[in-house]
C-alpha cells in the first residue's frame, strides 16, 4: 500500500510531466510450461479443479488447457478421480477443467490430498486440512458526515495458534465481484478480537454479503505472493516475488474453504 | 588466522614506528588561507620543489612537513589563487610555524578548475580511491533542472554509480547506498537525499567540497562497508557580510554569511526550498469544487544549514554546525488525507585545539537523527507509521607529528543509537466501533564504539606508507560484537611521473538498512545488529598505477579492486517490512563480492579541462534462499561505465561544459512466464507474472549528453551568473524500468501482451540565476 502511494507520488511529480512509455521488443528465454492447479474444496459443493499450464508471457492469451491431465483427490483413504470436462459458470466466469459428481462433506480436522499427472510426466501434489469455521462475531456500520458508511466486522481469534483469515464483501450477491478482499494473520492480535474494516464507501440501502474465511498458511502465502508478484510488474521499487504455491511440482493452490457468511442491508 | 594476521600487523606498525627517531630534520607547520576572506584552503599544496617534498593541507587548511636542516624555498599553490613562495631557514630546536596567505588569482581563467588538488599531489598521494570535488567545480557542470548537486557530480567519477535515472544515491564499487558513511562536520547523515533520491540534501551554497573514499579507508573511519563521503561545509566570511543565492526552476537558495566579531567569529546561514507546492496549491484552488477534479498532492522539500565558528585564541577554535531538512508530501481531499514526511536533523559542536606544532586535537559532540512518518486518515479511521534513528556521538581525534616522516593519528568515538522501528498506530475516532485500535513497533538502544591508531610514514621520497588499526564494537540487546579492522596503503614512485599504489581495508557495519527494494526509499528502516543479526563485514584490496602525461598536464590513473563482503542482508519473498514485530525473522544472510578496474584520465589546468573515466566492474550477491543459492548480479552491477566531462573557458565571462555518460543497462528482474489465477468465487481471474532468477535481465544501455553554458555577469552589487543547462541533449529515451502489459479490446478481453519501457526525463532545458551581494 505504502509503496503504491510512493509510486503515485513519484508518478505525480515526474512521470506525469516527463515520462514516456514505449512499446519495446523483449526476448524472453524459452519457458518449459508447468502445471497450474487451482482447487478450492467447499462444503456441500462438488469437487472441481482447474488444471492449466504456465505460458511464455507473450504467448497467445488462450487458456492453456491440459486435456490429458488426470486429477485424483483422496480423503479418508478413499480416492476419487475427477473427470476432464471443461465448463464455465458464474460471473465473473470461472473455468473448471475437472469435476466429480460427488459433493464435498466437510468435517473439521479432515484431511484431503490431491494428485495431478499428465502425459508429459508432470506431477503436482498437495494437501489441505479442513479448519474449523470462525464465526463473524459482529458487523457494524458507521456513517461519516457525507452520509457514506464504513463497515467493520469482528471475530474472536483463538489464542496460542497461528490463524489466518480472509475477509470479503460483495454487493448484492457473491457473483458481483468483491468490493473488499483482505487477508490477515493473528500475529499481532493473538487470542484477541480481530476487526476488519472498510473505507467510507457504502450508502443507505446497499445490500452487502460479508464473508469471513478461516484459511491456512498456504492459502495466506499464496494470496500474498500473487498480490506481490502482480505489483512487482510495473513498480520499479518492488522486489519481484516468486509465487508461493501450496502445491508441489507446479504452481497453484489446493485448499479448503470454510466460510461464515452474513448478508446485511445498510440502513 | 585473523588473529595471527592482526598480531603481525601490529608488529609491523611497531617495527615501522620505532626507528623514526633522531634524524636531522625539523617539523614545519602552519595554515594556508585565502587573503580575501581568511577561509582555510583545503587541499592546497605546500612543497619544497628543490627537494621534491610536499604535502596537502587538511580539512582545516593545516599542513606539516618534515624538512632537513638548512635553507629552503617553501611554495604554496592552490587552484584559483596566486602561488605563494617564501624562503625559510630550518634549524634544530623548536618546531617552526609558517602561515601562508594566498591571493585570489588575477586571471579569471584559473577558475575553470576540475579539482582543488594538483595532479602532482594526486600522483604522490598514498591514499587510493579518493575523489575530491569542490562546489566551484560542480557549479560549472550541467545539472538536472539546473539543480547543482555535488553527490550527483561524484557519480561521474569511475567506480561510482547512480541507482537510476536522475538519482543521487551512490553505489560505490558494488556496495549499496546504505553502505556509505556520509558525514557533515563529524555528524552522520542517514538519508542524504530529497525527493526519493532525485536530489541530495547538500545545498551547494553551504558546502565547500566533498571527499569520497572508495577504498583504502584511513583507520579513523568506520561503520560502513563501501565508502566514506565527507562533506565539508563552508565557513562564514570573516571579512564582510555577504548574501548570495540562486533562483532555479525547482528551488531557490539564499545564504548569508559574515563576521560576528572581526577576525574571531563568523556565521553562515543557508536555506533552500522547492516551490512545487506553491504552484500546485494554486492549481488546486482554481479547480476547487469541480466534481471530476483530482487534487494534485502537495510536495516540498527544504533545508537549513548553519555554521558558526569562533576563535577562542591562537590555539583553540569552536565550530557549531546545524542542519535541518524535511521532505513533505501531503494530500487531503474528501475526507481522505495522507502525509509522508521525512528528514534529517543534525547538530555538531567541534573544538579544535593545537597543543603545539606537533600535536593537534579535535573533539566533537554530535547529534543526528533521521525520521520518516506516514499518516493516513479516512473519516474516523487513522493510522500512522514512524521509524527513526537517533544518535549522540562523542569523538576525539589526535594528530601527532613525529620526526622521521611520521604523522600519527589516533582517536576514539562512542555513539549511543536509539532506534524506533515500525511504530504503527491504528486508531478509530469513534469508540463505538469495536476494538479496532492497536499499536505495534519496537524501540531498541545500542552503543557503538571505536578506537584507532594510524601512521602516515614517508619512508623516503620514493616510498610512503599509511597503515593503521581500528578496534570497533557494538552492543545491543545483551550482545556485544567487537572486531579489529586493519588498514594499509602504500605508494612507491618509480619516477617523477609514475607511481605504484596498493591498499587494503577491512570494514565493519553494525547497523543495517531494511529496504523493500534495491532502490533507496525514504521509508527504509535502520536496524541494529542483534544477537540474531550479525554485523556486516567487507575487505577490499586495490592496486593502482598513476602516470603524469604530456609534461604533467594529464594524470592517468588505473585502479583495480576486489571486495568481498560477508553477512549481507536481504529479505524473504513477500516479507512485511513495515508492520512486523519480528522483523529479523524475515532477514536472509548471504555474501557479496565485487571487482573491477577503473581508468581515469584527467586534466585540471588550462582553458580546457575535464576527465574521462572508464569502469569495468562486476557486483554480485549470494543467498541460500534466493535463486536456489546461485549468485546473482546486484541491480547496480554495471559492466561498462564511461563518463566524459569537458569544461572549456571561451572567455573570462563564458564557459562551456559538457558531460557524456554511457553505462551498461541495470540488471533487472522480469517475468519469464505467466499463469492465470481465478481465485475464489466472486473474484476476477488475473494474470500473474512468474519471476525466475533475480536480476537476470538487462535494461537497454544508458547514455546521455548534458550541456551547459555559464555566463558571468558584472553587476554593481558583487557577482552574478546565468547558467543554462540542457539535460539529455539528444533526448535519449533511457529505460527507467520495463513492465509487461495486457492489451485488451473494447470488451476488456485480452488480445495480446507486450513489453513497455518507461523513460523518465526527455530533453530538459533549464536556467538558473546565481548572485552574490558583497
Amino acid at each position: 500500500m505504502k509503496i503504491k502511494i510512493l509510486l503515485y507520488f513519484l508518478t505525480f511529480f515526474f512521470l506525469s510531466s516527463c515520462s514516456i512509455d514505449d512499446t519495446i521488443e523483449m526476448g524472453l528465454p524459452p519457458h518449459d510450461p508447468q502445471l497450474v492447479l487451482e482447487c478450492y474444496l467447499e462444503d456441500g459443493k462438488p469437487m472441481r479443479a482447474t488444471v492449466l499450464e504456465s505460458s511464455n508471457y507473450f504467448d497467445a492469451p488462450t487458456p492453456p488447457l491440459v486435456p490429458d491431465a488426470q486429477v485424483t483427490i483422496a480423503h479418508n483413504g478413499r480416492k476419487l478421480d475427477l473427470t476432464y470436462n471443461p465448463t464455465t459458470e458464474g460471473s465473473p466466469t470461472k473455468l473448471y477443467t475437472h469435476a466429480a459428481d460427488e459433493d464435498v462433506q466437510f468435517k473439521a480436522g479432515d484431511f484431503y490430498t490431491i494428485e495431478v499427472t499428465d502425459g508429459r510426466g508432470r506431477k503436482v501434489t498437495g494437501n489441505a486440512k479442513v479448519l474449523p469455521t470462525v464465526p463473524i462475531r459482529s458487523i457494524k456500520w458507521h456513517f461519516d458526515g457525507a452520509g457514506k458508511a464504513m463497515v467493520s466486522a469482528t471475530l474472536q481469534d483463538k489464542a496460542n495458534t497461528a490463524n489466518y483469515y480472509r475477509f470479503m464483501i460483495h454487493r448484492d450477491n457473491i457473483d458481483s465481484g468483491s468490493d473488499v478482499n483482505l487477508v490477515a494473520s493473528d500475529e499481532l492480535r493473538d487470542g484477541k478480537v480481530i476487526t476488519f474494516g472498510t473505507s467510507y464507501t457504502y450508502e443507505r440501502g446497499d445490500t452487502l454479503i460479508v464473508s469471513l474465511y478461516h484459511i491456512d498458511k498456504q492459502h495466506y502465502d499464496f494470496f500474498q505472493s500473487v498480490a506481490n508478484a502482480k505489483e512487482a510488474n510495473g513498480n520499479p521499487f518492488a522486489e519481484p516475488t516468486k509465487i508461493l504455491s501450496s502445491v508441489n511440482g507446479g504452481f497453484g493452490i489446493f485448499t479448503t474453504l470454510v466460510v461464515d457468511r452474513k448478508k446485511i442491508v445498510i440502513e | 588466522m585473523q588473529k595471527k594476521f592482526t598480531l603481525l600487523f601490529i608488529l609491523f606498525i611497531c617495527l615501522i614506528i620505532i626507528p623514526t627517531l633522531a634524524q636531522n630534520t625539523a617539523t614545519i607547520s602552519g595554515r594556508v588561507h585565502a587573503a580575501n576572506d581568511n577561509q582555510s584552503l583545503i587541499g592546497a599544496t605546500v612543497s619544497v620543489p628543490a627537494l621534491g617534498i610536499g604535502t596537502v593541507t587538511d580539512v582545516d587548511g593545516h599542513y606539516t612537513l618534515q624538512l632537513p636542516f638548512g635553507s629552503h624555498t617553501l611554495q604554496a599553490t592552490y587552484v584559483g589563487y596566486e602561488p605563494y613562495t617564501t624562503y625559510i631557514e630550518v634549524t634544530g630546536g623548536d618546531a617552526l610555524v609558517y602561515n601562508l596567505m594566498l591571493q585570489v588569482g588575477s586571471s579569471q581563467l584559473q577558475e575553470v578548475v576540475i579539482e582543488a588538488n594538483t595532479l602532482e599531489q594526486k600522483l604522490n598521494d598514498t591514499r587510493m580511491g579518493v575523489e575530491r570535488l569542490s562546489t566551484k567545480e560542480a557549479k560549472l557542470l550541467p545539472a538536472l533542472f539546473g539543480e547543482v548537486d555535488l553527490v550527483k557530480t561524484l557519480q561521474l567519477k569511475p567506480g561510482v554509480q547512480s541507482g537510476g535515472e536522475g538519482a543521487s544515491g551512490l553505489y560505490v564499487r558494488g556496495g549499496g547506498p546504505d553502505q556509505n558513511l556520509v558525514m557533515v562536520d563529524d555528524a552522520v547523515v542517514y538519508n542524504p537525499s530529497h525527493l526519493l533520491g532525485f536530489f541530495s540534501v547538500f545545498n551547494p551554497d553551504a558546502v565547500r567540497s566533498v571527499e569520497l573514499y572508495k577504498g583504502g579507508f584511513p583507520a579513523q573511519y568506520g561503520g560502513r562497508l563501501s565508502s566514506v563521503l565527507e562533506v565539508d561545509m563552508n565557513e562564514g566570511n570573516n571579512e564582510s557580510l555577504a548574501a548570495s543565492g540562486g533562483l532555479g526552476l525547482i528551488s531557490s537558495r539564499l545564504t548569508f554569511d559574515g563576521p560576528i566579531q572581526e577576525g574571531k567569529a563568523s556565521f553562515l546561514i543557508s536555506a533552500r526550498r522547492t516551490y512545487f507546492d506553491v504552484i500546485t496549491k494554486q492549481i488546486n484552488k482554481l479547480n476547487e469544487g469541480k466534481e471530476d477534479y483530482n487534487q494534485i498532492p502537495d510536495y516540498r522539500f527544504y533545508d537549513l544549514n548553519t555554521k558558526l565558528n569562533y576563535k577562542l585564541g591562537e590555539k583553540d577554535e569552536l565550530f557549531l554546525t546545524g542542519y535541518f531538512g524535511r521532505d513533505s508530501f501531503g494530500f487531503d481531499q474528501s475526507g481522505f488525507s495522507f502525509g509522508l514526511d521525512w528528514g534529517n536533523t543534525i547538530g555538531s559542536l567541534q573544538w579544535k585545539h593545537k597543543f603545539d606544532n606537533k600535536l593537534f586535537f579535535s573533539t566533537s559532540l554530535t547529534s543526528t537523527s533521521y525520521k520518516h512518518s506516514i499518516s493516513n486518515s479516512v473519516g474516523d479511521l487513522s493510522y500512522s507509521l514512524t521509524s527513526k534513528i537517533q544518535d549522540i556521538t562523542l569523538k576525539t581525534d589526535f594528530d601527532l607529528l613525529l620526526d622521521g616522516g611520521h604523522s600519527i593519528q589516533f582517536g576514539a568515538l562512542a555513539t549511543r543509537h536509539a532506534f524506533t522501528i515500525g511504530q504503527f498506530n491504528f486508531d478509530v475516532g469513534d469508540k463505538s466501533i469495536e476494538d479496532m485500535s492497536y499499536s505495534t513497533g519496537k524501540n531498541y538502544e545500542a552503543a557503538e564504539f571505536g578506537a584507532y591508531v594510524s601512521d602516515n610514514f614517508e619512508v623516503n621520497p620514493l616510498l610512503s606508507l599509511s597503515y593503521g588499526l581500528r578496534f570497533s564494537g557494538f552492543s545491543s540487546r545483551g550482545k556485544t560484537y567487537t572486531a579489529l579492522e586493519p588498514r594499509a596503503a602504500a605508494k612507491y614512485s618509480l619516477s617523477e611521473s609514475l607511481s605504484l599504489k596498493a591498499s587494503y581495508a577491512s570494514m565493519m557495519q553494525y547497523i543495517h538498512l531494511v529496504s523493500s527494494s534495491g532502490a533507496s526509499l525514504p521509508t527504509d528502516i535502520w536496524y541494529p545488529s542483534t544477537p540474531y543479526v550479525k554485523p556486516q563485514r567487507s575487505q577490499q584490496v586495490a592496486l593502482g598505477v598513476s602516470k603524469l602525461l604530456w609534461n604533467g598536464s594529464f594524470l592517468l590513473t588505473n585502479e583495480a579492486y576486489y571486495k568481498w563482503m560477508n553477512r549481507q542482508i536481504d529479505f524473504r519473498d513477500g516479507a512485511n517490512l513495515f508492520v512486523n514485530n519480528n522483523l529479523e525473522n524475515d532477514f536472509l544472510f548471504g555474501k557479496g563480492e565485487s571487482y573491477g578496474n577503473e581508468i581515469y584520465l584527467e586534466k585540471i589546468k588550462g582553458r580546457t579541462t575535464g576527465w574521462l573515466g572508464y569502469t569495468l566492474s562486476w557486483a554480485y550477491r549470494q543467498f541460500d534462499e534466493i535463486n536456489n543459492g546461485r549468485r546473482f548480479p546486484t541491480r547496480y552491477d554495471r559492466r561498462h561505465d564511461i563518463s566524459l566531462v569537458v569544461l572549456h573557458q571561451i572567455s573570462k565571462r563564458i564557459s562551456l561544459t559538457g558531460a557524456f555518460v554511457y553505462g551498461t543497462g541495470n540488471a533487472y528482474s522480469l517475468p519469464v512466464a505467466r499463469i492465470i489465477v481465478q481465485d475464489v468465487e466472486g473474484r476476477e481471474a488475473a494474470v500473474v507474472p512468474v519471476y525466475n532468477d533475480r536480476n537476470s535481465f538487462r535494461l537497454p544501455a544508458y547514455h546521455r549528453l548534458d550541456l551547459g553554458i555559464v555566463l558571468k555577469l558584472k553587476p554593481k552589487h558583487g557577482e552574478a551568473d546565468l547558467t543554462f543547462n540542457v539535460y539529455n541533449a539528444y533526448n535519449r529515451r533511457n529505460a527507467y524500468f520495463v513492465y509487461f502489459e495486457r492489451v485488451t479490446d473494447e470488451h476488456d478481453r485480452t488480445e495480446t501482451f507486450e513489453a513497455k519501457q518507461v523513460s523518465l526525463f526527455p530533453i530538459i532545458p533549464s536556467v538558473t540565476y546565481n548572485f552574490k551581494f558583497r
Side-chain angles (χ1 to χ4, degrees):
Chain A
M1 171 68 180
K2 182 155 53 63
I3 298 296
K4 279 182 185 165
I5 290 162
L6 283 171
L7 187 62
Y8 173 57
F9 170 23
L10 178 75
T11 306
F12 137 73
F13 179 66
F14 285 122
L15 304 190
S16 61
S17 58
C18 303
S19 78
I20 307 153
D21 277 26
D22 290 314
T23 302
I24 57 168
E25 287 296 318
M26 177 62 70
L28 293 178
H31 172 68
D32 187 20
Q34 295 186 54
L35 292 176
V36 181
L37 167 69
E38 270 190 280
C39 182
Y40 307 94
L41 298 179
E42 285 188 77
D43 193 30
K45 293 190 175 176
M47 286 186 183
R48 291 182 295 192
T50 308
V51 180
L52 302 171
E53 61 181 16
S54 57
S55 317
N56 183 293
Y57 215 100
F58 299 116
D59 283 353
T62 47
L65 297 169
V66 188
D68 64 349
Q70 294 187 335
V71 180
T72 304
I73 293 177
H75 171 234
N76 284 341
R78 180 169 162 259
K79 287 187 176 178
L80 187 66
D81 292 329
L82 277 64
T83 309
Y84 178 74
N85 180 24
T87 54
T88 57
E89 68 171 56
S91 173
T93 307
K94 297 284 179 209
L95 166 70
Y96 299 99
T97 60
H98 295 73
D101 291 336
E102 204 170 300
D103 288 350
V104 177
Q105 299 296 323
F106 272 173
K107 202 164 80 181
D110 272 6
F111 201 70
Y112 290 82
T113 62
I114 193 167
E115 182 177 288
V116 181
T117 56
D118 77 345
R120 291 179 56 192
R122 295 178 295 186
K123 183 177 177 182
V124 169
T125 59
N127 55 65
K129 187 180 173 185
V130 179
L131 299 174
T133 304
V134 174
I136 296 169
R137 208 177 80 150
S138 67
I139 300 176
K140 292 183 178 178
W141 53 92
H142 175 79
F143 291 95
D144 66 5
K148 297 276 187 182
M150 61 86 70
V151 174
S152 65
T154 63
L155 63 96
Q156 175 62 54
D157 181 64
K158 187 179 175 187
N160 302 320
T161 57
N163 289 299
Y164 303 87
Y165 305 100
R166 185 166 179 178
F167 177 72
M168 297 175 77
I169 293 182
H170 297 79
R171 288 177 194 257
D172 301 323
N173 60 67
I174 59 169
D175 285 345
S176 66
S178 58
D179 272 7
V180 177
N181 181 33
L182 305 167
V183 293
S185 82
D186 66 349
E187 189 180 346
L188 300 172
R189 301 281 294 170
D190 184 46
K192 296 178 182 169
V193 171
I194 293 176
T195 307
F196 288 95
T198 71
S199 57
Y200 286 86
T201 54
Y202 299 106
E203 295 179 350
R204 289 181 199 281
D206 281 351
T207 300
L208 307 179
I209 296 156
V210 179
S211 304
L212 175 67
Y213 294 90
H214 187 196
I215 61 176
D216 58 16
K217 186 172 188 309
Q218 292 179 335
H219 186 156
Y220 177 83
D221 288 343
F222 181 73
F223 180 97
Q224 294 281 49
S225 63
V226 162
N228 290 337
K230 284 195 287 186
E231 183 175 324
N233 180 33
N235 181 348
F237 300 124
E239 202 59 80
T241 304
K242 286 191 175 179
I243 296 166
L244 301 175
S245 297
S246 80
V247 295
N248 298 313
F251 296 107
I253 181 167
F254 173 60
T255 192
T256 59
L257 294 179
V258 288
V259 58
D260 187 32
R261 191 165 276 154
K262 292 192 176 354
K263 183 185 269 192
I264 59 169
V265 178
I266 304 293
E267 290 172 339
Chain B
M1 180 64 190
Q2 190 189 337
K3 280 183 181 170
K4 272 187 185 174
F5 178 79
T6 305
L7 286 172
L8 282 172
F9 195 82
I10 293 168
L11 184 62
F12 174 67
I13 288 177
C14 295
L15 287 172
I16 292 289
I17 291 175
I18 288 166
T20 62
L21 307 172
Q23 297 182 25
N24 289 330
T25 59
T27 303
I28 69 160
S29 64
R31 176 172 169 259
V32 181
H33 59 102
N36 59 331
D37 59 6
N38 201 31
Q39 288 233 6
S40 300
L41 297 178
I42 305 167
T45 299
V46 182
S47 62
V48 178
L51 299 176
I53 293 174
T55 189
V56 181
T57 53
D58 65 13
V59 291
D60 301 316
H62 288 124
Y63 75 94
T64 55
L65 280 175
Q66 295 282 336
L67 294 178
F69 294 166
S71 304
H72 304 292
T73 301
L74 185 67
Q75 190 178 68
T77 57
Y78 191 75
V79 283
Y81 290 80
E82 297 290 351
Y84 178 88
T85 304
T86 185
Y87 177 81
I88 61 170
E89 191 72 34
V90 178
T91 58
D94 291 340
L96 302 166
V97 178
Y98 292 98
N99 291 326
L100 310 172
M101 187 167 71
L102 272 60
Q103 300 289 338
V104 176
S106 56
S107 166
Q108 292 252 354
L109 294 185
Q110 287 183 324
E111 290 196 6
V112 182
V113 294
I114 290 300
E115 291 185 20
N117 294 349
T118 66
L119 296 181
E120 290 82 3
Q121 178 261 311
K122 290 186 84 170
L123 176 78
N124 291 310
D125 196 345
T126 313
R127 302 176 304 171
M128 294 182 70
V130 183
E131 305 291 352
R132 174 184 280 278
L133 191 71
S134 67
T135 298
K136 193 183 272 188
E137 172 188 355
K139 280 187 171 176
L140 290 171
L141 292 172
L144 177 62
F145 295 113
E147 295 292 316
V148 174
D149 194 318
L150 277 82
V151 177
K152 277 193 201 168
T153 309
L154 279 173
Q155 293 169 351
L156 296 170
K157 303 285 186 175
V160 185
Q161 290 157 4
S162 69
E165 173 86 73
S168 67
L170 293 178
Y171 294 79
V172 181
R173 291 185 171 174
D178 56 320
Q179 294 174 340
N180 305 318
L181 178 66
V182 182
M183 294 197 303
V184 175
D185 287 352
D186 278 352
V188 172
V189 182
Y190 277 101
N191 183 357
S193 58
H194 286 300
L195 188 57
L196 297 178
F198 285 102
F199 300 101
S200 82
V201 297
F202 305 116
N203 176 351
D205 287 347
V207 172
R208 181 160 40 184
S209 63
V210 293
E211 191 164 54
L212 177 73
Y213 291 82
K214 300 181 290 184
F217 307 104
Q220 71 192 86
Y221 298 115
R224 300 291 187 281
L225 295 193
S226 289
S227 81
V228 176
L229 179 65
E230 236 192 338
V231 179
D232 177 43
M233 275 192 65
N234 270 326
E235 290 170 18
N237 187 329
N238 255 322
E239 303 297 315
S240 60
L241 191 65
S244 60
L247 300 170
L249 207 60
I250 284 182
S251 72
S252 285
R253 298 166 274 117
L254 191 59
T255 300
F256 292 99
D257 66 327
I260 297 172
Q261 188 180 349
E262 203 165 323
K264 284 202 94 171
S266 65
F267 77 97
L268 178 142
I269 181 163
S270 183
R272 175 173 63 159
R273 191 196 193 280
T274 55
Y275 24 69
F276 314 112
D277 58 323
V278 177
I279 298 162
T280 54
K281 269 181 184 157
Q282 289 307 314
I283 295 171
N284 288 336
K285 203 172 174 184
L286 287 171
N287 290 283
E288 205 169 9
K290 289 184 182 171
E291 203 169 285
D292 54 349
Y293 179 72
N294 288 319
Q295 266 196 7
I296 304 170
D298 284 340
Y299 171 75
R300 65 178 177 276
F301 75 71
Y302 58 91
D303 36 40
L304 179 69
N305 292 271
T306 57
K307 186 152 183 176
L308 184 72
N309 46 306
Y310 186 75
K311 261 190 178 169
L312 296 170
E314 277 303 306
K315 293 186 172 180
D316 295 280
E317 204 166 359
L318 285 179
F319 300 87
L320 186 61
T321 302
Y323 170 85
F324 182 81
R326 283 289 178 276
D327 285 62
S328 182
F329 171 73
F331 180 80
D332 192 349
Q333 188 178 27
S334 307
F336 176 89
S337 73
F338 177 83
L340 169 60
D341 297 272
W342 70 93
N344 301 281
T345 306
I346 292 165
S348 165
L349 176 64
Q350 288 177 296
W351 169 37
K352 293 184 178 177
H353 175 71
K354 188 169 151 186
F355 290 98
D356 55 35
N357 291 323
K358 292 193 172 187
L359 182 60
F360 305 89
F361 156 87
S362 168
T363 193
S364 62
L365 179 66
T366 61
S367 163
T368 183
S369 73
Y370 173 71
K371 176 182 175 183
H372 77 252
S373 179
I374 296 168
S375 58
N376 186 199
S377 69
V378 185
D380 284 338
L381 308 179
S382 64
Y383 80 79
S384 66
L385 178 63
T386 300
S387 289
K388 189 165 78 169
I389 180 168
Q390 193 163 21
D391 292 356
I392 293 176
T393 300
L394 183 63
K395 179 171 177 276
T396 298
D397 302 290
F398 289 88
D399 277 4
L400 173 64
L401 303 170
L402 294 178
D403 291 339
H406 290 271
S407 171
I408 310 288
Q409 285 89 42
F410 57 97
L413 71 80
T415 299
R416 175 210 177 255
H417 297 286
F419 300 85
T420 299
I421 294 166
Q423 189 67 52
F424 182 80
N425 295 301
F426 185 78
D427 192 37
V428 184
D430 185 342
K431 299 303 174 193
S432 68
I433 301 172
E434 188 176 14
D435 199 18
M436 284 180 79
S437 304
Y438 67 101
S439 300
T440 65
K442 296 275 188 188
N443 292 306
Y444 297 125
E445 290 196 351
E448 186 170 356
F449 48 91
Y452 70 93
V453 59
S454 67
D455 179 21
N456 296 314
F457 177 27
E458 195 154 325
V459 182
N460 57 47
L462 300 180
L463 177 64
S464 58
L465 303 171
S466 176
Y467 45 89
L469 188 64
R470 182 180 182 85
F471 172 70
S472 64
F474 191 86
S475 185
S476 170
R477 292 164 64 184
K479 176 75 178 174
T480 299
Y481 295 98
T482 58
L484 287 171
E485 304 172 42
R487 317 280 170 82
K491 183 270 309 177
Y492 185 77
S493 299
L494 290 171
S495 71
E496 282 188 354
S497 64
L498 182 63
S499 63
L500 298 177
K501 299 181 184 183
S503 69
Y504 166 82
S506 168
M507 302 287 277
M508 299 293 293
Q509 181 163 338
Y510 296 100
I511 60 173
H512 321 280
L513 193 64
V514 177
S515 174
S516 61
S517 70
S520 181
L521 294 175
T523 50
D524 295 343
I525 299 165
W526 286 97
Y527 199 88
S529 291
T530 66
Y532 178 71
V533 182
K534 292 179 179 171
Q536 302 176 52
R537 183 175 186 201
S538 77
Q539 295 178 83
Q540 184 182 162
V541 289
L543 292 171
V545 57
S546 296
K547 168 76 176 162
L548 279 176
L549 302 170
W550 296 294
N551 293 324
S553 47
F554 286 82
L555 178 68
L556 178 66
T557 304
N558 187 88
E559 288 190 17
Y561 66 91
Y562 180 75
K563 180 160 70 178
W564 61 105
M565 296 167 274
N566 295 323
R567 300 192 286 269
Q568 300 299 283
I569 293 177
D570 210 304
F571 305 94
R572 291 184 201 289
D573 273 351
N576 175 9
L577 304 183
F578 299 104
V579 184
N580 186 346
N581 272 348
N582 299 298
L583 191 57
E584 59 189 44
N585 290 347
D586 286 324
F587 286 19
L588 301 175
F589 302 98
K591 58 186 180 182
E593 67 173 343
S594 60
Y595 44 91
N597 189 70
E598 299 161 2
I599 301 172
Y600 189 42
L601 177 69
E602 58 185 319
K603 180 176 184 287
I604 66 168
K605 285 182 183 170
R607 294 181 67 155
T608 304
T609 56
W611 71 82
L612 173 65
Y614 169 64
T615 306
L616 174 68
S617 63
W618 291 260
Y620 296 104
R621 297 288 186 275
Q622 189 169 18
F623 296 82
D624 288 343
E625 298 86 349
I626 298 174
N627 274 13
N628 295 318
R630 296 187 307 279
R631 74 175 188 174
F632 58 91
T634 61
R635 273 194 186 189
Y636 33 90
D637 170 54
R638 198 166 297 163
R639 197 69 64 246
H640 306 283
D641 195 74
I642 298 170
S643 56
L644 173 66
V645 175
V646 177
L647 298 90
H648 181 69
Q649 181 94 34
I650 289 182
S651 68
K652 287 185 177 180
R653 292 183 56 201
I654 303 173
S655 306
L656 292 181
T657 58
F660 173 76
V661 292
Y662 173 91
T664 304
N666 279 1
Y668 200 71
S669 297
L670 283 172
V672 292
R674 59 177 157 80
I675 63 171
I676 295 168
V677 173
Q678 299 189 106
D679 208 346
V680 298
E681 268 185 296
R683 299 288 302 161
E684 293 272 4
V687 174
V688 181
V690 176
Y691 290 90
N692 203 355
D693 286 354
R694 186 175 286 191
N695 298 338
S696 57
F697 290 85
R698 288 276 170 186
L699 293 179
Y702 181 98
H703 51 91
R704 194 188 79 233
L705 174 68
D706 304 333
L707 298 171
I709 300 176
V710 180
L711 177 62
K712 286 191 183 297
L713 308 174
K714 285 189 172 174
K716 290 178 183 172
H717 57 71
E719 299 168 14
D721 67 58
L722 270 175
T723 303
F724 301 92
N725 284 322
V726 181
Y727 182 88
N728 195 6
Y730 57 84
N731 199 23
R732 159 80 175 172
R733 293 189 180 183
N734 286 303
Y736 189 62
F737 65 94
V738 169
Y739 67 99
F740 295 168
E741 188 178 61
R742 185 171 68 101
V743 181
T744 58
D745 63 12
E746 65 272 20
H747 303 296
D748 198 35
R749 288 183 301 230
T750 305
E751 286 188 322
T752 186
F753 295 89
E754 57 188 26
K756 292 273 190 179
Q757 169 188 298
V758 177
S759 309
L760 274 193
F761 302 123
I763 182 170
I764 298 178
S766 63
V767 59
T768 306
Y769 174 69
N770 298 302
F771 58 87
K772 185 165 188 175
F773 293 98
R774 288 181 193 278

